Amino acid sequence: MSSDTAVGEDELLRSIEEVEDRINIFRKKVRAVLASVQPDSGEDAREEKA
């Protein structure tokens, strides 16, 4: 029974690592999008058009 638990723990740890990798990739994508959307005068330019 303890070997089943160990296998379950290994699978769980692998799943957690996969999720962490996905989170890191997602964070990089979000940072890239935010960097591309935030020009220095973005807010001012919108107000001038209005």
Side-chain angles (χ1 to χ4, degrees):
M1 186 153 172
S2 62
S3 63
D4 290 343
T5 305
V7 171
E9 288 177 8
D10 288 344
E11 289 178 16
L12 184 59
L13 288 173
R14 255 181 271 143
S15 296
I16 291 171
E17 289 173 356
E18 289 176 11
V19 170
E20 288 175 339
D21 289 343
R22 290 181 187 179
I23 290 171
N24 287 333
I25 292 168
F26 178 75
R27 284 179 176 163
K28 288 178 185 176
K29 288 181 182 178
V30 169
R31 286 186 193 124
V33 169
L34 289 177
S36 69
V37 173
Q38 291 182 325
D40 293 336
S41 62
E43 202 67 37
D44 298 334
R46 279 187 231 128
E47 290 176 2
E48 289 175 6
K49 290 179 184 176

